[in-house]
Amino acid sequence: MSSPPTSDDDGGSRPDSDASSGSGSDSDPESRSLLPETRWQRDVILIFAMLFGIYALFALIGVALDFDTNGILNVLREITLFAAVYAMLVLALNLHWGYTGLFNIGVAGFMAVGVYTMAILTASPDATAPGFGLPLWVGIVGGMVMSALVGLVAALPALRLRADYLAIVTLGLSEIIRLTFQSMQFSNALEDTLGVATNGGSGMNFPGTRGVVQYAFYRGGDRTSEPTVLGDALFGLAESFDVLPLVVLGWGYNVVLGIGVIAFYVLLVRIANSPFGRVLKAIREDELVADSLGKNTNLFKIKVFMLGCALMGLAGILWQGQTGYTSPHEFRPELTFYVFIALIIGGAGSNTGSVIGGLVFGTLLFQGPLYVPRLLQEGLAVAGVELGTPPNTFYDAVLPLGSLDLLPMLAYATASTNVSYLRFVLLGVVLILVVQRRPEGLLGHRVETAAAVDLSNRSRSTATDGGNPESTSPVDEHDQESTGGHSARTADDGHGLSAVRDDRDSSATNGGHDE
Amino acid sequence: MSEQAAGSATETGDRTTTGDESTVVDSPPPLRVTDLEKHFGGITAVDGVSFDVHEGTLTGLIGPNGAGKSTAFDCITGVYTPDAGTVEFNGEDITGLEPFEICNRGLVRTFQIARELEKMTVLENLMLAPAGQRGESLWQSVTPIARRGVAAEERELRERVWETLEFFEIDHLAASYAGTLSGGQRKLLELSRALMTDPDVVLLDEPLAGVNPSLEKKLLERIHDLREEGYTFLLVEHDMDVIMTHCERVIVMHQGRKLAEGTPAEITSNERVIDAYLGGEV
Amino acid sequence: MCMSAIDTLGRGNTFVRTHPSLSLVFLVGFALGVDLVHGLYTGRIPLENVSRLFWNGLLVGLILGLAGIGLSMTYSILNFANFSHGDLITVGAFSGWSVTYLLAGAGVTEFGTRLLIDANLNVTVLGDPVAVVAGLVLASILTILIALVVDRLVYRPMRDSSGISLLIASIGVALVLRHLVAFVYRAHTRGVTGSERVDILPVLEGTGDVSVNTATLMIVAVALMIGVHLLVQRTKLGTAMRAMADNQDLALITGIPTERVVTWTWILGAGLTGAAGFLIVLERGTLDFNIGWGLLLLIFAAVILGGIGSIYGAIGGGLVIGLTQSLSTIWIPSDFATPAAFSLMILVLLFRPSGLFSGVTTA
Amino acid sequence: MALLEVSGLDAGYGDLQILEDVDLEVDEDEYVAIVGPNGAGKSTVMKSVFGLATYMGGRIAFDGEEIGELRPEAIIHRGLGYVPQDDNVFPSLSVEENLEMGAYILPEVPGDRLREVYDRFPILEARKTQTAGNLSGGQRQMLAMGRALMLDPALLMLDEPSAGLAPDLVEELFDRIDAVNDAGTAILMVEQNASEALRRCDRGYVLVQGRNRYVDTGESLLENEQVRQDFLGG
């Protein structure tokens, strides 16, 4: 029952403490004051706990690899980038798939539309791939609007297609989009008609959202000019720890991404905890029921598709805006699958799960394996073993296995490109295992009630009006819940994060779950 | 309709249809089906069926398996578009409208196999139903100030939902996922959810299938209570006992056509009906 | 769930009947046809171009059709869209050509480079017929083995899961297969059959240059298609497969050992897919680990066009997609050939989800 | 010993219990009908035998052997044929292929059985190359029966064979079922057309609300006023 992390919506009577409907807790509210009050607070703590745990892990990796402060900060900066970008993408996809049951596997395409629209709008008219040279915010808004419009085009088939057909349609659309941006002929046609270009497969440069940070840190947004007051202060502070300005700048951009994640999260939690989100869930569960209860499901699906696509476009803009360069190769269908893997790990249907899924995927699964070779080298070096140059081919690596010499194979497996292949193998295996063993992911089993207020907390005054003895209802409710909670817990033993389990223990609203 | 949904907490309690007594005799009945036809490929599922459902009544629609009852239901509620014939609701032609449009006019249905929204709680199931909720607008749900209004409306709805749950005595299940309910409880959930749309006429598709006797009694009592309050029911049911003891009027369908119509007593003594049920030639 | 799917389909069909968009699609096709005839007549479109494009499209279409049969079979019998199908093609291509290279270059170059298809051998059908045939056969067999292992480990434990869960699992399988191939063979694109296509068939001279490799592809593809046709239409096993595609539950209570039929479905489907992978390389001359993945969506397009579950549909759909991709370049820039094929697929899904040739749909 | 013995069967779907303590026996060569009002759980009895419903307790034995754990093909192999109510033919297969599928577990299609089925249902032979999807309702029912007869079962279970058929077809269908029974195959039939079924069967069970209410010869059940009441309600 996560509620929006803002307090204005439910006034003073926030009843979100799930435990409050259980017996006992009401009698002694003071004793709980030190514990997190509500589920969303606990969720935020969970997210940050995981983030810092992962930071600690990667910092340790950095230390093990003899990185200096700048090196470690750079490692953390990079994983933060991926964690944030995936968190945003997963949140957007969760709106489609987790909430509404729309099986959209064209995420990469919608991102590409957003990014390219932004790039074309903002790129300088004198660049190799000229653009309109419009201000940044025009580019961002334009990119989102265009993604939403392409989403509208995709939503029309979504109105009546089976899930697997919708998947193929969206994947096809995303490939059409990618191939279009890859086309030099398309770029030339643009140049002839509008005077702008995309430069086909070579990609294009554009100002990018990193400009925001540069403007904040340097006068005029130019790295060669004087720092601003903020820049001066931060650079000075950093210098005292021997941290380079470039690293500070990078972390500055992470702040932008962090704000992005928070904005996405707040928006989506609000949608989730609202009558609007309730209709979306109903569409996911059984569209005919939602229709028969008077909901214009087509309209809801169109809205959701457009909003989700706009968010995917924005996430893409923030991602590619970090380098200020984009190319069609970034938007292969694999990208969509990564987002799906992250969503399934986190738990489709849960926004907190989405953030955690993005976090776990972007850091541990996506970036983590890339550090394995160097850790291995370091480890072996400590043991006095030299890994040596990797063999050129798999065959050369296999041959020594005959004489029980594992090192060449290890060296081959940890050569940089090969590690990335093995990483994809790992991702595939993880996906299969999650789908087979724990399809609800880390948090997908939770009851996250779609309502703007706590439904279990009815006001006592009207309860008496209802003619029911006031006391029976809450007691019944508690009994029911504790049995439901118990069965769910036993079914679940040995899975998931302990934090999650704690959460469930204290949560009173658990009606069991679906395996 | 839409504004009412947000209305007072005691809505279900004191609701009476306007002018139950004063209705002019020739005013149209709430539901009038005329010459309804539906074909699937070469099979005629409903073959020219006409009937009226009168205000404030509990009307039964019966017939052997394959008589076309459920198809007729689906045609009335917009799941299927009938191939011929019209459906009028409160005097308005609603033939071929989408299910949501029909529901929003005050004609709601339940399903033969209870279609609870499994991974939504009982509370969510009921909260979903009321029409025209402010918070169903995307921007109202997400913008800070408008959201206060949404929350206020939600609090009001919540009371109504709890009352409905208490009325059907499933309030102890409020926080459970609908998918964990037993068959009979699902039927109660369906009915209570349908009522939350604030309908004039409720179409019940086999509401008692798979319901144990004590729950069946409870459900029927509730239906009677509601009828007293002015709701109109059309009930598809195969349990003849129920139809004969509880309905004022009975419509019998057989092989896609209307075989008979009348009071339970008339129907029980109708040889054609007996033959249809026992499988003789009609 | 099933009911609502049927309802949606039902409403979709009524929509098709009443909606004018479909007629518009046909109108456009008709107009293009007229334009083509007119262009040929006035000489605006050179006949030579058209025949070359047609020939190309036909070849691609045959490959898509051959590979599509397997996808169509698993789609209708196991009830899920197998996103790892493209990577089974890759597995077939690599394993088959490894065998061909081992045999063809015996004694010429090192074992390891031959195994990894890195030796620069100009393999042709006439030059090394035994190696090519052995490669083709082994491509099928090894692909079958991989498919059976995958079925055992991934899909069989999930037999009762929804088609969507299986689809997602197959995405995982796709990632695993493709990158294992990349791990073993590395990522570079290698020339396999050499750049020159010397063996022009003398008989066919004048009709465009038909290499022996191309001719082999056509003959083998057509032979395999006829073989599948006979197997599916004439044998008990084939009938059982069609029965299962029709109605899984009824097959079970009729006494058809469904698990065994599923195994045979994989064997047949993967065998054809592996062969298709091998043949594609014969035609293209190059090979890299993305070869199958790159074809997957086109194969889906072929299968959907033909109607899922119908092997003739897959073949016909393959030809339509191949020809669309190829002939569309008469009117649109060549960069948009593939998008045109995808667009056609999307249009078919929107307006005629049961396929152009109205195969059996299974939901 | 009875051919099929069901004792104390509890069954349903998911957590919804439909049948409660149902006992049922079919002897060799016997013709048994299960009748009862809609929703009484008649079809569930048959589905339980083939594991298509959720088993909740009780015993099902065929030919003296428990069959609860067996796969459907093994049950069929022991001589139990089953014709479900709907979707009981493979629509895209030809009529003959449908029949061949009935004998899938045999290495060869038994030619004599095929002959016998064709003799029994001449319409099937006349249409043997047509796809089953093009058959009429009555013909489909015969095809489904023919397919189940391909293994010469000791017991044939028919789930509402007359549902949705025109009255004249119903008569013909029942005649054919009689003939199958006369040829030595025991019949267990669930039927909504109670008067026709009870008139023809050796013994009838009346199932009401998931329980056995009456067991008797068909004739006496047909004359039982109580039974009529159960069908039409109190």
Side-chain angles (χ1 to χ4, degrees):
Chain A
M1 192 156 311
S2 53
S3 240
T6 43
S7 53
D8 57 289
D9 50 72
D10 196 14
S13 70
R14 167 179 297 287
D16 241 356
S17 40
D18 300 320
S20 69
S21 55
S23 66
S25 50
D26 275 0
S27 57
D28 190 8
E30 295 303 311
S31 68
R32 297 182 299 128
S33 60
L34 287 178
L35 295 168
E37 276 283 320
T38 66
R39 180 181 244 178
W40 78 261
Q41 286 173 348
R42 286 194 302 270
D43 281 357
V44 168
I45 290 172
L46 176 67
I47 290 170
F48 276 98
M50 287 197 70
L51 179 65
F52 287 110
I54 288 169
Y55 276 168
L57 179 70
F58 277 86
L60 274 179
I61 290 174
V63 170
L65 296 179
D66 284 334
F67 287 0
D68 61 6
T69 321
N70 281 306
I72 292 174
L73 281 177
N74 213 31
V75 168
L76 299 186
R77 180 197 61 78
E78 198 179 31
I79 62 164
T80 312
L81 169 80
F82 280 103
V85 168
Y86 277 106
M88 284 187 276
L89 288 170
V90 174
L91 279 167
L93 183 61
N94 188 38
L95 183 65
H96 282 172
W97 167 238
Y99 258 83
T100 325
L102 293 168
F103 197 30
N104 170 14
I105 54 172
V107 178
F110 298 116
M111 290 168 69
V113 169
V115 174
Y116 266 95
T117 306
M118 194 262 189
I120 290 169
L121 288 175
T122 57
S124 145
D126 324 315
T128 339
F132 291 110
L134 295 169
L136 201 62
W137 67 268
V138 177
I140 295 174
V141 172
M144 288 177 70
V145 168
M146 195 55 119
S147 291
L149 289 178
V150 176
L152 174 66
V153 172
L156 297 176
L159 297 183
R160 59 167 189 277
L161 281 182
R162 270 165 44 181
D164 52 346
Y165 284 4
L166 177 65
I168 292 167
V169 164
T170 47
L171 180 60
L173 186 65
S174 125
E175 282 292 88
I176 290 174
I177 291 167
R178 182 177 67 87
L179 292 170
T180 302
F181 288 129
Q182 188 156 305
S183 164
M184 205 56 211
Q185 286 164 334
F186 173 73
S187 179
N188 292 339
L190 271 187
E191 196 147 18
D192 291 344
T193 51
L194 298 173
V196 295
T198 59
N199 230 356
S202 350
M204 66 186 293
N205 289 300
F206 60 102
T209 35
R210 63 177 170 178
V212 175
V213 182
Q214 291 191 11
Y215 270 100
F217 285 11
Y218 293 101
R219 290 198 185 128
D222 189 344
R223 290 220 332 255
T224 50
S225 60
E226 283 290 298
T228 58
V229 181
L230 175 70
D232 211 29
L234 286 176
F235 291 146
L237 185 70
E239 206 177 344
S240 57
F241 293 100
D242 288 331
V243 174
L244 301 170
L246 209 59
V247 174
V248 176
L249 214 58
W251 276 94
Y253 194 71
N254 276 347
V255 172
V256 173
L257 290 174
I259 293 170
V261 174
I262 291 168
F264 272 55
Y265 183 67
V266 170
L267 177 70
L268 288 167
V269 167
R270 279 178 170 241
I271 289 174
N273 295 335
S274 76
F276 184 82
R278 203 151 61 212
V279 177
L280 302 188
K281 266 169 106 173
I283 291 173
R284 176 192 72 192
E285 293 296 310
D286 192 331
E287 192 177 340
L288 182 58
V289 169
D291 203 348
S292 294
L293 288 172
K295 312 300 173 197
N296 185 351
T297 53
N298 284 347
L299 198 60
F300 280 92
K301 286 204 276 188
I302 288 175
K303 282 183 186 172
V304 158
F305 225 98
M306 291 180 71
L307 176 65
C309 288
L311 293 178
M312 287 166 190
L314 177 59
I317 287 168
L318 291 175
W319 170 43
Q320 298 282 283
Q322 186 253 346
T323 50
Y325 164 81
T326 193
S327 86
H329 310 295
E330 306 282 359
F331 303 104
R332 294 182 170 280
E334 281 93 333
L335 176 62
T336 304
F337 296 148
Y338 301 155
V339 182
F340 251 96
I341 295 173
L343 175 58
I344 290 168
I345 289 173
S350 165
N351 287 316
T352 305
S354 298
V355 175
I356 288 178
L359 185 60
V360 169
F361 180 87
T363 56
L364 298 179
L365 291 174
F366 199 74
Q367 284 295 296
L370 302 183
Y371 292 94
V372 170
R374 290 166 77 179
L375 281 175
L376 189 76
Q377 269 172 10
E378 288 289 323
L380 287 176
V382 170
V385 181
E386 180 83 35
L387 205 49
T389 33
N392 271 327
T393 66
F394 182 70
Y395 180 71
D396 293 334
V398 170
L399 273 189
L401 289 180
S403 51
L404 293 180
D405 185 2
L406 288 172
L407 286 180
M409 182 51 97
L410 261 184
Y412 180 77
T414 52
S416 69
T417 50
N418 291 343
V419 164
S420 73
Y421 301 144
L422 291 179
R423 171 181 68 178
F424 290 125
V425 173
L426 171 79
L427 290 179
V429 171
V430 167
L431 179 62
I432 293 166
L433 287 179
V434 173
V435 173
Q436 279 187 348
R437 306 277 164 84
R438 199 180 161 86
E440 73 278 21
L442 293 175
L443 294 187
H445 60 279
R446 300 204 308 194
V447 181
E448 297 192 4
T449 309
V453 297
D454 181 2
L455 297 180
S456 58
N457 187 52
R458 54 180 317 205
S459 54
R460 307 287 150 158
S461 56
T462 38
T464 10
D465 291 348
N468 237 30
E470 190 179 337
S471 55
T472 54
S473 149
V475 170
D476 283 356
E477 200 182 315
H478 177 65
D479 287 344
Q480 166 65 23
E481 282 151 3
S482 50
T483 39
H486 177 69
S487 61
R489 217 173 303 139
T490 33
D492 240 20
D493 255 354
H495 293 292
L497 302 161
S498 57
V500 176
R501 223 178 297 141
D502 291 344
D503 179 287
R504 184 154 5 94
D505 288 350
S506 57
S507 155
T509 51
N510 195 327
H513 77 214
D514 176 281
E515 276 290 4
Chain B
M1 185 71 222
S2 62
E3 289 311 310
Q4 264 181 0
S8 86
T10 50
E11 191 77 20
T12 44
D14 55 25
R15 192 199 133 91
T16 39
T17 38
T18 45
D20 201 4
E21 318 296 299
S22 63
T23 318
V24 189
V25 181
D26 55 356
S27 79
L31 183 63
R32 165 167 281 170
V33 174
T34 318
D35 298 329
L36 200 66
E37 264 180 54
K38 182 68 193 176
H39 314 275
F40 295 104
I43 299 158
T44 304
V46 178
D47 191 5
V49 168
S50 306
F51 58 82
D52 290 347
V53 175
H54 297 283
E55 185 148 357
T57 61
L58 181 50
T59 303
L61 179 60
I62 62 169
N65 267 353
K69 297 164 295 188
S70 286
T71 310
F73 244 52
D74 284 342
C75 287
I76 294 170
T77 54
V79 176
Y80 296 136
T81 307
D83 294 321
T86 55
V87 181
E88 282 166 73
F89 181 68
N90 287 336
E92 182 191 1
D93 185 357
I94 58 163
T95 324
L97 292 185
E98 291 288 321
F100 78 91
E101 294 171 309
I102 292 172
C103 176
N104 286 337
R105 281 166 173 73
L107 176 65
V108 73
R109 60 129 5 133
T110 65
F111 292 90
Q112 183 178 358
I113 297 157
R115 297 179 80 142
E116 74 290 347
L117 301 163
E118 280 189 39
K119 290 195 79 180
M120 291 172 76
T121 64
V122 169
L123 281 166
E124 283 179 292
N125 264 272
L126 263 71
M127 290 288 288
L128 172 73
Q133 298 179 40
R134 280 173 155 194
E136 282 173 13
S137 132
L138 177 57
W139 74 267
Q140 295 222 32
S141 277
V142 297
T143 41
I145 295 170
R147 196 175 159 89
R148 278 187 206 162
V150 171
E153 194 186 270
E154 291 269 273
R155 272 189 287 273
E156 277 170 32
L157 276 184
R158 176 173 70 191
E159 301 311 317
R160 245 184 88 195
V161 163
W162 275 102
E163 268 160 32
T164 309
L165 288 176
E166 278 162 8
F167 181 73
F168 284 96
E169 294 172 38
I170 48 173
D171 48 327
H172 60 290
L173 300 166
S176 308
Y177 270 145
T180 64
L181 266 55
S182 75
Q185 290 166 339
R186 288 178 201 190
K187 292 285 186 183
L188 287 171
L189 170 62
E190 276 233 341
L191 180 55
S192 50
R193 191 177 63 193
L195 291 177
M196 287 300 296
T197 65
D198 206 9
D200 296 329
V201 177
V202 186
L203 268 56
L204 301 172
D205 198 349
E206 305 214 357
L208 302 173
V211 175
N212 69 46
S214 67
L215 204 56
E216 177 176 317
K217 191 161 161 281
K218 188 156 94 183
L219 234 163
L220 284 166
E221 275 169 21
R222 293 296 167 267
I223 291 173
H224 276 294
D225 292 348
L226 291 163
R227 197 187 48 122
E228 303 285 304
E229 287 165 19
Y231 288 91
T232 304
F233 287 94
L234 175 64
L235 178 77
V236 167
E237 187 48 60
H238 59 244
D239 188 334
M240 297 293 284
D241 261 331
V242 170
I243 294 284
M244 295 308 168
T245 40
H246 295 272
C247 294
E248 285 100 354
R249 287 194 73 72
V250 180
I251 299 153
V252 187
M253 277 182 76
H254 184 55
Q255 296 186 332
R257 293 167 177 276
K258 188 171 80 177
L259 187 68
E261 186 174 358
T263 63
E266 287 163 7
I267 295 298
T268 345
S269 57
N270 186 326
E271 278 302 318
R272 278 158 55 89
V273 174
I274 296 170
D275 283 348
Y277 260 79
L278 288 177
E281 288 185 33
V282 180
Chain C
M1 195 62 216
C2 182
M3 271 302 292
S4 77
I6 291 166
D7 294 344
T8 325
L9 275 180
R11 260 187 287 174
N13 277 337
T14 25
F15 184 82
V16 170
R17 261 182 272 127
T18 54
H19 209 275
S21 310
L22 186 64
S23 4
L24 190 73
V25 173
F26 282 120
L27 202 68
V28 169
F30 184 71
L32 289 178
V34 169
D35 183 61
L36 179 61
V37 172
H38 177 257
L40 285 173
Y41 182 72
T42 57
R44 174 168 51 87
I45 305 170
L47 177 64
E48 201 181 317
N49 270 4
V50 176
S51 84
R52 181 177 48 81
L53 290 173
F54 185 82
W55 192 241
N56 256 339
L58 199 67
L59 278 179
V60 174
L62 274 178
I63 293 170
L64 294 177
L66 192 59
I69 294 172
L71 182 66
S72 185
M73 287 170 89
T74 49
Y75 207 154
S76 62
I77 292 175
L78 289 116
N79 278 320
F80 77 100
N82 181 6
F83 271 70
S84 68
H85 190 79
D87 298 292
L88 282 181
I89 294 176
T90 309
V91 167
F94 275 92
S95 58
W97 281 98
S98 279
V99 171
T100 301
Y101 263 51
L102 283 181
L103 293 176
V108 183
T109 47
E110 237 186 289
F111 184 82
T113 48
R114 277 185 286 132
L115 184 70
L116 298 178
I117 326 178
D118 280 330
N120 237 335
L121 303 174
N122 262 337
V123 176
T124 58
V125 179
L126 291 185
D128 308 276
V130 179
V132 170
V133 171
L136 179 65
V137 172
L138 263 295
S140 284
I141 294 175
L142 292 168
T143 312
I144 289 169
L145 288 179
I146 297 281
L148 289 179
V149 168
V150 168
D151 182 53
R152 180 73 198 79
L153 293 178
V154 182
Y155 305 127
R156 197 191 292 179
M158 301 177 67
R159 223 44 118 208
D160 294 331
S161 303
S162 71
I164 295 304
S165 302
L166 286 162
L167 191 162
I168 293 171
S170 78
I171 290 174
V173 173
L175 284 173
V176 171
L177 288 181
R178 190 177 339 142
H179 292 99
L180 277 181
V181 168
F183 181 70
V184 172
Y185 289 92
R186 312 299 299 263
H188 59 281
T189 304
R190 62 207 87 205
V192 175
T193 56
S195 48
E196 26 181 333
R197 308 273 182 82
V198 274
D199 301 314
I200 304 292
L201 281 186
V203 223
L204 289 175
E205 238 165 350
T207 61
D209 45 337
V210 181
S211 74
V212 175
N213 285 2
T214 304
T216 309
L217 182 151
M218 297 195 68
I219 292 164
V220 174
V222 171
L224 285 175
M225 285 172 181
I226 293 172
V228 178
H229 161 75
L230 293 177
L231 193 139
V232 170
Q233 290 301 323
R234 301 285 166 80
T235 67
K236 205 168 84 169
L237 174 70
T239 316
M241 285 176 174
R242 285 183 288 135
M244 268 188 78
D246 264 2
N247 188 336
Q248 207 103 228
D249 290 337
L250 184 61
L252 201 67
I253 55 170
T254 300
I256 296 171
T258 48
E259 235 353 271
R260 213 187 312 157
V261 176
V262 166
T263 304
W264 278 104
T265 304
W266 279 115
I267 290 176
L268 207 58
L272 291 173
T273 309
F278 185 88
L279 292 172
I280 293 163
V281 180
L282 194 64
E283 162 61 14
R284 280 196 186 171
T286 58
L287 176 58
D288 72 282
F289 80 107
N290 268 319
I291 188 168
W293 172 242
L295 286 169
L296 179 67
L297 205 53
L298 286 171
I299 296 171
F300 264 119
V303 169
I304 287 165
L305 235 61
I308 290 160
S310 154
I311 59 163
Y312 315 106
I315 296 167
L319 292 175
V320 172
I321 288 294
L323 289 172
T324 303
Q325 208 186 2
S326 190
L327 290 178
S328 65
T329 55
I330 295 175
W331 296 280
I332 57 174
S334 56
D335 285 355
F336 288 92
T338 307
F342 292 160
S343 306
L344 182 64
M345 168 185 78
I346 292 176
L347 287 177
V348 168
L349 271 178
L350 293 191
F351 298 114
R352 202 177 161 82
S354 59
L356 283 183
F357 312 117
S358 249
V360 191
T361 51
T362 51
Chain D
M1 182 186 55
L3 194 57
L4 179 73
E5 266 187 282
V6 173
S7 49
L9 179 68
D10 296 335
Y13 304 99
D15 56 1
L16 176 65
Q17 185 169 351
I18 305 273
L19 298 181
E20 209 178 324
D21 199 22
V22 169
D23 296 319
L24 184 87
E25 277 186 15
V26 185
D27 286 323
E28 271 178 54
D29 300 340
E30 205 182 10
Y31 186 157
V32 175
I34 306 174
V35 298
N38 275 352
K42 302 181 300 270
S43 301
T44 313
V45 176
M46 290 191 169
K47 289 182 180 164
S48 307
V49 173
F50 270 91
L52 300 176
T54 313
Y55 169 84
M56 295 167 175
R59 187 181 121 91
I60 304 171
F62 183 72
D63 217 358
E65 184 191 2
E66 280 247 28
I67 54 172
E69 297 292 306
L70 294 180
R71 284 186 63 79
E73 64 247 35
I75 298 175
I76 290 160
H77 208 80
R78 281 167 172 70
L80 186 57
Y82 174 36
V83 179
Q85 182 182 349
D86 310 306
D87 297 328
N88 50 18
V89 298
F90 299 110
S92 72
L93 268 56
S94 73
V95 167
E96 185 146 308
E97 285 171 336
N98 261 282
L99 293 176
E100 285 167 9
M101 285 299 101
Y104 191 91
I105 34 178
L106 302 183
E108 286 282 316
V109 177
D112 51 332
R113 285 305 301 168
L114 191 62
R115 191 63 258 150
E116 246 176 81
V117 169
Y118 279 150
D119 287 344
R120 212 173 272 296
F121 307 105
I123 187 74
L124 297 184
E125 186 165 27
R127 313 211 155 190
K128 65 180 180 185
T129 54
Q130 283 191 15
T131 53
N134 292 330
L135 297 183
S136 72
Q139 290 162 352
R140 284 183 193 213
Q141 205 56 254
M142 291 183 203
L143 176 56
M145 264 169 70
R147 193 186 54 228
L149 288 173
M150 283 298 287
L151 288 176
D152 197 10
L155 170 64
L156 182 62
M157 302 201 307
L158 302 167
D159 193 351
E160 306 228 358
S162 78
L165 298 189
D168 48 327
L169 275 177
V170 172
E171 191 70 18
E172 190 192 335
L173 189 80
F174 276 112
D175 286 344
R176 301 203 188 267
I177 296 171
D178 283 349
V180 170
N181 182 236
D182 291 341
T185 302
I187 303 281
L188 174 63
M189 180 166 70
V190 160
E191 197 32 78
Q192 189 179 277
N193 191 336
S195 56
E196 196 69 40
L198 291 178
R199 200 155 58 77
R200 292 172 183 260
C201 70
D202 299 327
R203 219 149 45 82
Y205 287 85
V206 179
L207 210 63
V208 179
Q209 294 193 333
R211 293 162 168 274
N212 282 343
R213 187 138 323 164
Y214 310 99
V215 194
D216 208 334
T217 63
E219 288 300 329
S220 44
L221 284 175
L222 205 53
E223 281 155 21
N224 187 336
E225 209 32 54
Q226 259 328 104
V227 173
R228 288 173 80 90
Q229 287 296 314
D230 270 326
F231 274 76
L232 293 176

